[in-house]
Amino acid sequence: MASRSARRQPYALTTPALIVIGVLFVFPSVYNVVLAFQKLSPYDTPGDATWVGFDNFKAIFSDPQIGSATLNTAFWLTALTVAIRLVLGLGLALLLQSQVLARWRLRGVGRTLVLVPWMLPPVVAVACWKSIFDANTGVLNQFLVSTHIVSKGVPFLAQTSTAWWSVIAIIVWRELPFVVIVMMAGLQSIPKEQYEAAAIDSAGRWQSFLHITLPNLRPVIVVVVLMTVIQTFNNFVYVWLSTGGGPGTYTQVLATQLYSAAFVANDLGQGAAIGIVMTATMAVFALIYLRVTGDREGRSA
Amino acid sequence: MKFTKSVVAAAVTSLVLPLAACSGSGSGSGSVNLVFRQFDPKGEVAGLTTAIDAWNKSHPKIHVEMQTLSPNNVQQFAREANSGSGPDIDQIGYADVAFLAKPKILLSLDDLMKKDPVPGGTDNLLAKDMVTFDGKTWAMPWTADTMALVYNPKALSAAGVKSPPTTWEQLAADAKQISSSSSGKTSGFCFAASGSATSSQWNAINYYIWAHGGTLVQKNPSGAWQPGIAQPQLANAIQYFADLFSSGASPKANQAVQDYSDPSIVNGLATGSCAMSYEPPATFAPLLKQAKAAGTTLTTAPMPSGLTDGATHLGGRALGINRNSKHPDEAWQVIKYLMSATTFKTYSQYPASKSTLTQLTVPESQQGFVKQLPHARSFARYIGSDMTVASIEQLVNQRFSAVYSGQSSSSDAAAAIISGLTKGLKG
């Protein structure tokens, strides 16, 4: 029979972790839910809050702006950028793993260069891209005008035909290295023997990619999709700093709506309610994702 | 065990000591340390630093530490004050004083003013309506500013424009003429026109509306808030600004610019590719130096209709005392010093005190500000409803921007603004 102190040991060991989780995760989450049913300004103390029931949720669900912001968040901000990053990230990872680069001794340089955008803080990255996109002095416009592709500088971030594509360019550029690194790690873990066996069976490069590389990378791709979707869906910085949600409200996303409600209109309750809607959307996505991956793992077991 | 206890004690002490050092209001060797927080960029406050250094030299018993937290983050100050900390003296934008007064984050200054009055009295202070709530004074008006028309006289005369425009209609016509006569090399009128929440087009839009007898929101006789402009009048205002772009008077590139101090506007003025814009005094001073270095002449004039009472805004900064300050009397002494002519001899801002303003020599190129300031009126006219000024600003900027980018017509945008205001003002 274990001694009393031995029986207590697991609790003693897990308590610090539970306290940290409670203070840093559980309490803020629960408080955010409470806040969503209150009216409180950023200048008040929590004790000054007044209960408003479901008013904050009613307000956001009756706001047409939230609908378009949700669509923008799901399609432009998340789906498109994640898809582009996946394709480009896999392509770059394959290139960096290729024998050609190794032969030319460019693999190390290539890997370092790919990491550069990730080293820049997002705020700095947006500032650089804003300068590149500037209609008068931006490098891109100077190039386009000097090569007579356009007669006058294009205000990329201010017109509806280019605003979202410009934001996407910034996000993909800054966030691509993460995908490349994870994909490279995945590629390195594929046993070489599989490629050798395929080569013996006269499989071409495309067939090897399709039947060896992609199936082996599937778990990595799934993790990358989950992480980048959650990270991007909640992102505020890129849109707010590059377009401010404009032109008009064309690039408004849920995170910028949340910020506007909480810190421009000084309504923390409504901001919290939008936050809950965002979390719920992500939770649905995560559950579907876990279900799909769980089924797959079950089948493969 | 003893060793473990010692390690824990040392660790706790090392964590707590820096926190104690951060509190700012402590006193040692009989002197009082005060923290004064201001939010203007470091490049604009060299003169203020000089003034603070002079104070510290002449007042060894009251040491002031100037803390710069730029850009302005009044919500951070509120969070700190609500948790019992924060600087002793805080620089506050006029529009933010109301937020800090309502939950009594600031100390009411009435007793201090009674005990030790401001030289010249408070009657000669501008923007008093922005610092007085529920019959109490919560901050002292410190600096006063407004947006004046900054223009390049050579660019105007090259296009046959003899004097700066005095009406908005004239400004549009002159700007179009400048742009077309220079074949697009010089833009007639540059302004930040993005749809972001803090876009500086907000100033020009309000100036235009006020100059034409409207106002975005107003209190009706029964005390309820309502939109203060009819939809057709607002649609005209939107169309006016949209036409600046379609006529070529303003460059379309400005639709992506968020701030009057954006390099594309400031450099444009300095290098001569922009003939006219509007700037506050703090931006104009360094801009003038930049223009001189580039061989460009710049000067100021009142904005169109800027000499009409209430057609432009009176902005600036106030000084308040944190309710947690342990040394309010000393903080009040410092505030009085900061409001004096001595400070403004080195600090390149205009004082909110009219009597102090008369003691200063203002260069000819800045006379546009001086002429306009007595006619400017604060945004107090928008304060007190359930909608913050920042929310109104965001709504208006977004809808104007939607018209520039072809997403909606001016009448639809006007309807959306009126509807948004009506909904927001109801709370």
Side-chain angles (χ1 to χ4, degrees):
Chain A
M1 192 165 170
S3 70
R4 205 176 198 185
S5 63
R7 281 203 308 275
R8 281 181 183 168
Q9 198 180 34
Y11 300 104
L13 290 171
T14 52
T15 300
L18 288 174
I19 289 172
V20 170
I21 290 170
V23 171
L24 296 182
F25 296 97
V26 179
F27 172 71
S29 306
V30 172
Y31 182 60
N32 189 71
V33 174
V34 171
L35 201 53
F37 295 94
Q38 293 182 328
K39 191 169 179 63
L40 183 72
S41 107
Y43 301 94
D44 297 326
T45 56
D48 300 323
T50 51
W51 290 93
V52 294
F54 284 93
D55 283 3
N56 289 327
F57 290 96
K58 278 183 205 161
I60 61 172
F61 286 121
S62 62
D63 183 358
Q65 190 71 56
I66 293 287
S68 62
T70 308
L71 278 177
N72 283 341
T73 310
F75 178 69
W76 289 101
L77 182 70
T78 310
L80 261 182
T81 64
V82 169
I84 295 172
R85 270 180 283 173
L86 267 187
V87 174
L88 287 182
L90 180 56
L92 265 176
L94 286 167
L95 180 71
L96 290 170
Q97 282 295 108
S98 67
Q99 291 303 317
V100 183
L101 278 192
R103 211 177 303 138
W104 292 345
R105 295 185 178 176
L106 287 174
R107 207 179 249 182
V109 177
R111 284 176 185 177
T112 312
L113 285 178
V114 160
L115 277 177
V116 169
W118 217 29
M119 292 173 193
L120 278 185
V123 178
V124 179
V126 175
C128 293
W129 275 95
K130 278 184 82 175
S131 149
I132 290 168
F133 285 141
D134 188 277
N136 291 324
T137 54
V139 180
L140 183 56
N141 272 307
Q142 301 245 350
F143 171 76
L144 293 174
V145 171
S146 63
T147 50
H148 305 291
I149 294 171
V150 294
S151 56
K152 255 185 168 183
V154 182
F156 287 102
L157 293 165
Q159 51 184 36
T160 52
S161 55
T162 50
W164 261 119
W165 293 109
S166 308
V167 175
I168 286 171
I170 300 171
I171 296 173
V172 169
W173 182 83
R174 170 62 178 67
E175 302 294 335
L176 188 61
F178 170 75
V179 180
V180 177
I181 289 165
V182 179
M183 292 288 189
M184 271 169 54
L187 287 173
Q188 283 165 12
S189 69
I190 300 174
K192 281 184 184 167
E193 293 79 9
Q194 292 188 13
Y195 291 107
E196 287 164 8
I200 291 166
D201 289 339
S202 310
R205 283 185 182 174
W206 176 244
Q207 283 173 314
S208 294
F209 173 74
L210 218 56
H211 299 291
I212 297 172
T213 310
L214 272 187
N216 275 298
L217 275 184
R218 194 173 289 157
V220 176
I221 291 172
V222 165
V223 170
V224 167
V225 168
L226 177 70
M227 290 178 77
T228 50
V229 162
I230 291 174
Q231 180 211 24
T232 314
F233 191 88
N234 294 331
N235 195 278
F236 163 77
V237 178
Y238 295 114
V239 169
W240 189 256
L241 293 181
S242 60
T243 65
T249 53
Y250 192 72
T251 58
Q252 281 284 356
V253 292
L254 285 172
T256 55
Q257 287 286 125
L258 187 160
Y259 179 85
S260 296
F263 301 110
V264 176
N266 288 344
D267 191 343
L268 292 179
Q270 202 167 109
I274 297 172
I276 287 176
V277 172
M278 290 174 74
T279 309
T281 313
M282 275 297 87
V284 170
F285 174 82
L287 284 174
I288 295 169
Y289 163 85
L290 289 173
R291 185 73 187 266
V292 170
T293 53
D295 284 353
R296 191 175 290 145
E297 279 166 16
R299 275 200 302 275
S300 61
Chain B
M1 195 66 181
K2 206 173 180 182
F3 174 74
T4 313
K5 273 183 185 169
S6 307
V7 169
V8 170
V12 169
T13 312
S14 65
L15 283 170
V16 169
L17 270 181
L19 291 175
C22 285
S23 64
S25 282
S27 58
S29 64
S31 73
V32 169
N33 292 317
L34 297 173
V35 175
F36 160 51
R37 181 181 291 170
Q38 71 87 34
F39 57 75
D40 286 317
K42 278 190 175 163
E44 291 177 10
V45 293
L48 181 58
T49 309
T50 309
I52 296 284
D53 289 345
W55 165 274
N56 285 334
K57 219 171 181 180
S58 58
H59 295 78
K61 296 271 181 193
I62 307 173
H63 182 266
V64 178
E65 178 201 329
M66 190 170 95
Q67 199 178 70
T68 295
L69 194 75
S70 188
N72 181 17
N73 193 338
V74 67
Q75 289 170 4
Q76 178 171 333
F77 172 63
R79 278 194 298 273
E80 290 171 0
N82 279 332
S83 63
S85 60
D88 299 273
I89 303 166
D90 196 43
Q91 182 199 47
I92 311 154
Y94 284 137
D96 294 328
V97 176
F99 297 127
L100 301 173
K102 203 177 153 197
K104 296 188 175 72
I105 285 169
L106 294 172
L107 189 75
S108 163
L109 301 177
D110 298 283
D111 289 344
L112 291 164
M113 285 160 62
K114 217 173 175 182
K115 209 162 58 179
D116 185 7
V118 179
T122 53
D123 286 345
N124 80 101
L125 293 175
L126 295 164
K128 272 192 299 181
D129 53 348
M130 298 292 279
V131 297
T132 313
F133 299 96
D134 300 327
K136 287 184 175 175
T137 306
W138 298 94
M140 277 286 107
W142 183 32
T143 64
D145 63 37
T146 186
M147 296 281 189
L149 188 78
V150 174
Y151 69 99
N152 178 340
K154 281 182 190 166
L156 263 64
S157 60
V161 178
K162 287 175 184 162
S163 58
T166 53
T167 66
W168 283 96
E169 288 68 25
Q170 200 186 331
L171 180 138
D174 290 350
K176 187 180 169 186
Q177 197 178 323
I178 293 165
S179 297
S180 58
S181 66
S182 67
S183 309
K185 280 182 185 165
T186 303
S187 298
F189 181 60
C190 300
F191 71 111
S194 92
S196 72
T198 53
S199 171
S200 306
Q201 66 167 331
W202 167 248
N203 296 101
I205 291 167
N206 276 288
Y207 288 11
Y208 178 92
I209 290 171
W210 295 338
H212 290 82
T215 179
L216 283 166
V217 296
Q218 66 182 13
K219 243 184 192 176
N220 66 21
S222 64
W225 286 88
Q226 61 184 34
I229 187 168
Q231 190 181 321
Q233 198 188 353
L234 183 55
N236 285 341
I238 299 172
Q239 199 54 52
Y240 171 87
F241 285 95
D243 287 346
L244 288 176
F245 296 111
S246 54
S247 69
S250 298
K252 283 188 177 159
N254 283 178
Q255 291 172 18
V257 177
Q258 295 186 11
D259 197 70
Y260 54 77
S261 62
D262 189 276
S264 65
I265 292 183
V266 173
N267 293 343
L269 285 166
T271 57
S273 62
C274 277
M276 293 186 280
S277 187
Y278 52 89
E279 298 287 349
T283 312
F284 182 70
L287 167 62
L288 201 58
K289 279 184 193 165
Q290 193 184 339
K292 270 182 188 164
T296 309
T297 311
L298 289 177
T299 190
T300 62
M303 288 294 282
S305 302
L307 299 181
T308 306
D309 284 349
T312 52
H313 95 286
L314 174 66
R317 287 89 171 86
L319 294 170
I321 299 178
N322 185 343
R323 68 171 176 213
N324 302 310
S325 175
K326 287 173 185 151
H327 308 286
D329 291 322
E330 287 82 356
W332 178 243
Q333 293 299 317
V334 175
I335 286 180
K336 280 175 61 186
Y337 167 76
L338 290 172
M339 290 171 71
S340 71
T342 314
T343 298
F344 288 97
K345 273 178 191 158
T346 57
Y347 186 30
S348 57
Q349 290 274 2
Y350 297 119
S353 158
K354 287 180 230 167
S355 58
T356 310
L357 185 58
T358 56
Q359 296 172 46
L360 301 173
T361 316
V362 180
E364 187 56 36
S365 63
Q366 296 183 28
Q367 286 300 323
F369 296 107
V370 178
K371 284 178 190 162
Q372 189 176 299
L373 266 174
H375 304 280
R377 295 286 177 272
S378 72
F379 271 107
R381 60 186 111 184
Y382 289 174
I383 292 175
S385 76
D386 273 338
M387 216 172 168
T388 62
V389 178
S391 286
I392 302 172
E393 183 178 353
Q394 186 178 39
L395 172 70
V396 168
N397 286 343
Q398 283 176 344
R399 295 301 166 184
F400 271 66
S401 161
V403 176
Y404 307 155
S405 57
Q407 292 173 77
S408 69
S409 67
S410 53
S411 58
D412 286 349
I417 292 173
I418 299 282
S419 152
L421 290 175
T422 309
K423 200 177 154 194
L425 293 171
K426 276 183 186 164

